[in-house]
């Protein structure tokens, strides 16, 4: 499973330049890392969203792999169909290649509208890797809240108003839902920790069954951050405990990053992003407290799950 | 060459499942809904017993059923599914995508009413909701036709000049659950008729990657849609040709419409699906009494066989168009709209009377149809039609 950077550097790119994602978009970085980590040929299904609309504006196409987009909520069902066809044609002797199947959907297409199709595909056991590039809002329609949007964050449907300052609810824990749903391999990753991310991709594609990856994806437009900050902010998310890196293999938890000297203060992550600017004002101190509590609780729960499942 | 005839008694849904089995598709992704459930149920028995090599995907919704069919068809598989009513409605978004991506998916639809109020019985509201989705739509009068239409659907859908999805409709409960004697074909005859499917492009050709379903902006979207419309229009002669080839094989010839005693008819009823069988009886009775009546069956609703229909109806005095679905807020049903607008540019055209009947499975009897003919004769004398008439409704 070792990742050899030199080998990867020599590989042909599978998502090539010429797409129209914003400068500094996390999604393109993630897709390149994911596809470069895989040795086998892959077929990709893509949900409607930023990644899809910006990479295939007819007659241009930035994908160097077979690719299908059909709608917003059904990337998982679509790739399930592709995988079913593959199984049938293989059984009938029409095809003998080893092929891997991946679906990419944003957090909207995964946590919310796409959840039913994703859950069904995982329950049925299709051998595919279902990837959420998680930018914590619906970006393609202009930064609306999703089930993945963290508590207190500004979006255009959870604006920071006088009465309600940002999203009142904490983010849904989709990663845990996928564990409970029975995915054989589940992980959270971040492009800031590229080796960890690529190793997880390798494990996911080599899993004989459904795998789910939740990958943190920064968005300069929606997060109100500079174009050159994708990786540094993704790293801050990990180092402040906002986005824990962990994996669950056949029910066993493993936390992949434990800060030796403890987490950095959450404020360091929040203060570099426009979407959280209001949280640092004194009148919103109580929301900041809740935000911190959400993170602590999640971390404690992860530690105890790791302990409980590795006894 | 006419092949050996084997006759069996079978229900409509089972006939559909049997046809699916004989096609032996690569992938079936489906979700159950009354009155179509038995198609999937029966088919999964075939899968469980190893009678087909199909990959069966028991999805969690109809939306995913059509999505998985799209994925599988784009991967080069021969793909089939079945649904009805709310299931077809839930697929609506994906129906448009299947046809625009030019994927030859075949679907049986046991036509049923749409909620609310919830009702499980037969009418054409579901199919009519899908009429603009770019699918070829074929309607079956009886169990034999369900069976025959499914093989033809596969051949039409996969024809290199068509490459469009096809839905084969039949009346929920009336045909789906009625047991009839039908003639069936041997498996190898079916296999020869439909041939081996050779997709033009596939996602699994990993050495030649394709992108299916990209974003098309203002500078190209319109051309895609027009090309799709042309493909649907151009499928009409191929549907006829396949119907003829099937006739040469089985003795049962199919055209896009069927004229029943329309020669010299002054009063013609136009209908689809099982109602045609009922109307046929009435036409025979009235013809015996010397009345110049006839019947036109519409077998293919999309693409709409405009010219055939005009030729069949243009010499009539009055036509009664029977719609088993309604268009609330309008002056007639979908079939009425199509036929009357087709006649707009013709000097010589019959008086057209709009009827809506049979919603939610309400019975249509020979008496109802006799009464329609009486009204048509009356309208002929009057020289103008009545407003839209609901048959058999208590007001
Ligand atoms: C059924 C349906 N509802 C709504 C939309 C509009 N829509 C397109 S993309 C999108 C948001 C996508 O958000 P996400 O999945 O988080 O991906 P991102 O754009 O952030 O990359 C929405 C709401 C749609 N295409 N289809
Ligand atoms: S809006 Fe955000 S997610 Fe969308 S392309 Fe731009 S940076 Fe990427």
């Amino acid at each position: 499973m070792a990742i050899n950077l030199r080998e990867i550097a020599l590989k042909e790119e599978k998502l090539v330049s010429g797409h129209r994602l914003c400068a500094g978009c996390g999604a393109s970085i993630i897709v390149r890392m994911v596809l470069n980590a895989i040795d086998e040929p892959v077929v990709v299904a893509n949900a409607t969203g930023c990644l899809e609309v910006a990479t295939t504006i007819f007659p241009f196409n930035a994908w160097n792999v077979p690719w299908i987009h059909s709608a917003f909520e059904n990337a998982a069902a679509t790739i399930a169909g592709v995988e079913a066809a593959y199984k049938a044609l293989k059984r009938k002797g029409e095809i003998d290649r080893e092929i891997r199947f991946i679906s990419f959907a944003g957090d909207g297409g995964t946590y919310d509208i796409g959840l039913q199709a994703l859950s069904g595909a995982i329950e049925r056991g299709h051998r595919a890797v279902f990837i959420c590039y998680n930018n914590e809002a619906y970006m393609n329609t202009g930064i609306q809240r999703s089930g993945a949007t963290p508590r207190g964050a500004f979006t255009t449907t959870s604006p920071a108003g006088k009465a309600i300052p940002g999203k009142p609810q904490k983010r849904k824990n989709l990663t845990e839902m996928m564990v409970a749903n029975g995915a054989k391999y589940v992980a959270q990753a971040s492009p800031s920790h590229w080796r960890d991310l690529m190793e997880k991709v390798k494990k996911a594609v080599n899993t004989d069954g459904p795998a789910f990856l939740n990958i943190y994806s920064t968005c300069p437009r929606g997060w109100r951050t500079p174009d050159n900050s994708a990786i540094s902010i993704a790293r801050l998310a990990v180092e402040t405990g906002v986005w824990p890196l962990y994996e669950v293999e056949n029910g066993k938890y493993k936390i992949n990053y434990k800060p030796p000297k403890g987490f950095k203060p959450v404020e360091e992550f929040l203060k570099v992003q426009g979407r959280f600017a209001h949280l640092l004002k004194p009148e919103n101190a109580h929301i900041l407290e809740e935000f911190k509590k959400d993170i602590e609780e999640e971390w404690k729960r992860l530690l105890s799950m790791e302990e409980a499942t590795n006894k | 060459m006419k092949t050996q005839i084997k006759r069996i008694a079978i229900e409509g849904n089972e006939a559909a499942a049997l046809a699916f089995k004989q096609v032996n598709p690569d992938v079936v992704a489906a979700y159950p809904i009354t009155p179509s459930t038995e198609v999937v149920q029966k088919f999964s028995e075939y899968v469980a017993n190893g009678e087909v090599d199909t990959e069966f995907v028991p999805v969690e919704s109809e939306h995913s059923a059509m999505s998985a069919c799209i994925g599988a068809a784009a991967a080069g598989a021969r793909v089939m599914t079945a649904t009805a009513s709310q299931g077809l409605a839930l697929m609506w978004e994906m129906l448009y995508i299947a046809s625009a991506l030019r994927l030859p998916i075949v679907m049986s639809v046991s036509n049923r009413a749409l909620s609310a109020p919830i009702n499980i019985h037969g009418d054409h509201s579901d199919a009519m909701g899908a009429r603009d989705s770019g699918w070829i739509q074929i309607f079956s009068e009886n169990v034999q036709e369900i069976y025959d239409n499914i093989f033809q659907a596969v051949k039409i859908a996969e024809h290199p000049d068509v490459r469009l999805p096809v839905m084969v409709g039949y009346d929920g409960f009336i045909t789906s659950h009625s047991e009839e004697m039908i003639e069936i074909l041997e498996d190898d005859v079916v296999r020869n008729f439909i041939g081996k499917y050779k997709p033009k492009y596939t996602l699994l050709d990993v050495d030649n990657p394709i992108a299916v379903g990209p974003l098309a902006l203002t500078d190209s979207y319109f051309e895609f849609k027009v090309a799709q419309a042309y493909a649907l229009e151009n499928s009409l002669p191929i549907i006829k040709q396949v119907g003829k080839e099937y006739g040469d094989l089985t003795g049962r010839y199919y055209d896009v419409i069927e004229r029943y005693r329309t020669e010299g008819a002054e009063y013609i009823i136009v209908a689809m699906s099982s109602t045609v069988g009922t109307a046929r009886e009435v036409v025979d009775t009235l013809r015996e009494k010397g009345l110049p009546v006839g019947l036109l069956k519409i077998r293919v609703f999309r693409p709409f066989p405009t010219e055939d229909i005009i030729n069949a109806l243009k010499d009539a005095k009055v036509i009664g168009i029977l719609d088993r679905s309604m268009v609330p807020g309008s002056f007639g049903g979908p079939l009425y709209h199509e036929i009357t607008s087709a006649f707009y540019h013709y000097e010589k055209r019959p008086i057209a009377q709009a009827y809506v009947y049979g919603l939610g499975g309400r019975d249509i009897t020979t008496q109802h149809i006799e009464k329609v003919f009486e009204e048509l004769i009356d309208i002929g004398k009057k020289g103008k039609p009545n407003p839209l008439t609901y048959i058999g409704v208590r007001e």
Side-chain angles (χ1 to χ4, degrees):
Chain A
M1 292 267 176
I3 302 288
N4 183 325
L5 195 54
R6 183 161 298 176
E7 268 173 32
I8 288 168
L10 291 173
K11 273 190 174 178
E12 193 185 8
E13 287 290 346
K14 313 236 174 60
L15 181 77
V16 296
S17 58
H19 62 69
R20 294 179 219 178
L21 288 155
C22 304
C25 174
S28 56
I29 303 171
I30 289 168
V31 171
R32 287 178 58 219
M33 284 186 186
V34 168
L35 295 180
N36 278 341
I38 305 170
D39 296 322
E40 299 82 0
V42 293
V43 178
V44 167
N46 202 170
T48 312
C50 276
L51 177 63
E52 170 261 333
V53 299
T55 54
T56 61
I57 303 177
F58 185 84
F60 306 106
N61 172 24
W63 297 81
N64 230 338
V65 294
W67 178 95
I68 180 169
H69 159 256
S70 64
F72 182 23
E73 59 286 346
N74 65 350
T78 306
I79 204 70
V82 177
E83 189 254 6
Y86 172 69
K87 266 202 240 161
L89 296 173
K90 217 169 180 194
R91 187 160 59 232
K92 292 182 180 183
E94 310 259 329
I95 193 164
D96 56 4
R97 296 281 289 269
E98 273 300 303
I99 303 177
R100 301 285 184 253
F101 302 96
I102 294 184
S103 82
F104 284 109
D107 48 296
T110 310
Y111 282 65
D112 295 342
I113 198 169
L115 181 60
Q116 176 185 305
L118 174 64
S119 168
I122 287 180
E123 178 266 327
R124 291 189 304 274
H126 294 279
R127 186 179 173 165
V129 184
F130 304 92
I131 297 179
C132 174
Y133 65 96
N134 185 352
N135 53 33
E136 302 192 317
Y138 303 154
M139 296 313 178
N140 184 49
T141 35
I143 328 161
Q144 292 82 31
R145 89 187 276 287
S146 81
T149 305
R151 191 195 295 280
F154 152 92
T155 72
T156 55
T157 50
S158 63
K162 285 202 186 89
I164 311 170
K167 189 191 174 204
Q169 305 87 2
K170 71 171 183 180
R171 70 175 178 230
K172 185 196 279 189
N173 198 334
L174 185 78
T175 311
E176 288 306 306
M177 286 173 78
M178 293 300 111
V179 176
N181 205 158
K184 286 251 180 86
Y185 179 78
V186 175
Q188 284 195 174
S190 162
S192 55
H193 294 65
W194 61 268
R195 188 180 291 277
D196 173 77
L197 186 153
M198 290 174 109
E199 276 166 4
K200 283 171 176 168
V201 171
K202 272 191 180 289
K203 278 190 192 173
V205 290
N206 288 313
T207 301
D208 189 13
F212 174 76
L213 297 179
N214 200 343
I215 306 181
Y216 210 58
S217 186
T218 51
C219 166
R221 292 289 87 69
W223 294 13
R224 309 293 200 237
T225 51
D227 288 351
N228 60 358
S229 63
I231 299 299
S232 59
I233 290 178
R235 175 167 296 115
L236 272 176
V238 175
E239 289 174 349
T240 54
V242 167
W243 191 251
L245 303 182
Y246 73 101
E247 61 193 332
V248 188
E249 230 172 329
N250 296 315
K252 256 191 192 193
Y253 281 66
K254 184 174 174 204
I255 300 174
N256 311 104
Y257 175 84
K258 285 183 191 164
K261 291 186 214 139
F263 287 121
K264 289 183 177 169
V266 168
E267 286 84 349
E268 283 194 29
F269 170 74
L270 301 178
K271 73 181 181 202
V272 291
Q273 304 175 56
R275 64 174 174 157
F276 292 118
H278 57 288
L279 277 198
L280 300 171
K281 290 185 179 156
E283 64 268 29
N284 290 324
H286 60 290
I287 304 167
L288 182 58
E289 276 317 298
E290 282 181 69
F291 187 103
K292 289 181 177 170
K293 221 170 77 198
D294 294 342
I295 292 169
E296 275 161 34
E297 277 172 8
E298 165 64 1
W299 183 247
K300 270 194 213 140
R301 206 190 54 78
L302 274 180
L303 287 173
S304 64
M305 288 306 289
E306 188 179 45
E307 199 189 314
T309 57
N310 284 287
K311 267 186 187 149
Chain B
M1 175 203 61
K2 202 156 178 281
T3 47
Q4 240 188 332
I5 293 170
K6 192 168 155 204
R7 301 181 125 250
I8 59 165
I10 193 167
E11 283 183 14
N13 280 335
E14 289 180 350
L18 175 64
F20 276 34
K21 174 187 157 190
Q22 292 188 293
V23 170
N24 191 9
D26 300 312
V27 175
V28 167
Y31 194 79
I33 182 167
T34 306
S36 145
T37 309
E38 286 153 319
V39 181
V40 192
Q41 231 167 257
K42 194 81 201 152
F43 190 78
S44 52
E45 262 175 52
Y46 296 137
V47 176
N49 292 328
E51 293 175 73
V52 286
D53 320 306
T54 308
E55 190 61 32
F56 178 58
V57 192
V59 280
E60 82 297 332
S61 76
E62 288 87 353
H63 193 284
S64 285
M66 191 43 65
S67 303
C69 286
I70 286 169
R78 181 174 262 163
V79 181
M80 301 176 83
T81 187
T83 195
S85 184
Q86 306 301 119
L88 189 65
L90 187 57
M91 282 181 187
W92 197 84
E93 183 195 24
M94 302 318 297
L95 295 178
Y96 279 72
I97 293 172
S99 61
L101 296 180
R102 306 286 301 272
L103 299 172
I105 299 161
V106 170
M107 171 159 66
S108 71
V109 179
S110 180
N111 296 118
R112 166 187 149 182
L114 289 174
S115 294
I118 186 168
N119 172 296
I120 57 168
H121 291 278
D123 73 33
H124 298 166
S125 308
D126 53 3
M128 290 305 148
R131 73 177 180 170
D132 300 338
S133 64
W135 282 57
I136 292 171
Q137 293 186 312
I138 302 176
F139 287 83
S140 320
E141 182 183 329
N142 50 39
V143 178
Q144 181 74 62
E145 290 196 7
I146 299 175
Y147 180 79
D148 293 343
N149 280 336
I150 286 172
F151 301 135
Q152 293 174 68
V154 172
K155 193 152 175 142
I156 294 161
E158 293 173 2
H159 192 287
D161 298 337
V162 178
R163 293 189 294 124
L164 284 171
V166 182
M167 63 178 87
V168 174
Y170 49 94
D171 286 345
F173 285 106
I174 299 164
T175 322
S176 65
H177 288 63
S178 74
E179 185 144 325
E180 288 173 23
M181 287 297 289
I182 67 164
E183 289 182 8
I184 62 165
L185 304 176
E186 296 295 337
D187 291 355
D188 57 333
V189 175
V190 172
R191 226 166 292 142
N192 275 338
F193 177 72
I194 59 174
K196 204 169 148 56
Y197 173 45
K198 283 188 215 72
K200 201 163 173 185
Y201 307 101
T202 120
L203 288 172
L204 297 183
D205 183 2
V206 287
D207 299 324
N208 299 293
I210 53 166
V212 180
L215 175 75
L217 293 176
T218 322
D219 60 338
S220 59
Y221 177 85
F222 206 164
E223 283 72 23
F224 277 112
K225 297 315 280 187
V226 171
Q228 185 192 344
Y230 287 157
L232 188 50
E233 266 174 52
N234 294 340
S235 69
L236 203 60
I238 293 159
I239 298 171
K240 289 185 183 198
Q241 178 199 317
V242 170
K244 185 176 174 306
E245 280 170 36
Y246 193 75
D248 292 342
L249 186 71
T250 61
R252 292 185 298 278
Y253 287 87
Y254 286 88
D255 202 342
V256 290
I257 58 165
E258 186 189 322
R259 300 156 172 249
Y260 188 70
R261 305 185 84 163
T262 53
E263 44 328 314
E266 289 174 31
Y267 308 97
I268 299 178
I269 280 181
V270 188
M272 302 199 305
S273 261
S274 65
T275 307
V276 172
T278 316
R280 221 184 279 271
E281 290 283 317
V282 179
V283 168
D284 285 345
T285 318
L286 297 184
R287 276 277 181 170
E288 264 167 47
K289 290 188 186 158
L291 289 173
V293 297
L295 169 67
L296 181 69
K297 160 169 147 182
I298 310 294
R299 172 175 172 255
V300 174
F301 186 77
R302 279 288 181 273
F304 198 68
T306 311
E307 248 178 73
D308 297 84
I309 290 171
I310 286 181
N311 285 333
L313 296 175
K314 66 180 190 318
D315 297 324
K317 205 181 260 175
V318 189
I319 56 173
I321 302 166
L322 268 53
D323 268 292
R324 201 165 198 151
S325 63
M326 63 150 75
V327 183
S330 181
F331 48 85
L335 190 55
Y336 176 83
H337 291 156
E338 295 277 350
I339 293 176
T340 49
S341 60
F343 266 116
Y344 184 82
H345 293 287
Y346 288 79
E347 284 277 298
K348 186 168 169 352
R349 58 186 177 219
I351 299 172
Q353 172 61 41
Y355 291 96
V356 166
Y357 75 100
L359 298 190
R362 177 69 53 88
D363 231 6
I364 180 140
T365 63
T366 50
Q367 286 92 326
H368 287 133
I369 292 187
E370 271 171 30
K371 180 142 180 281
V372 168
F373 275 123
E374 274 169 34
E375 280 172 13
L376 298 186
I377 292 168
D378 233 36
I379 288 164
K381 283 184 196 140
K382 239 178 15 175
K384 70 183 195 34
N386 301 327
L388 165 65
T389 304
Y390 296 103
I391 300 174
V393 75
R394 300 181 304 273
E395 287 194 72

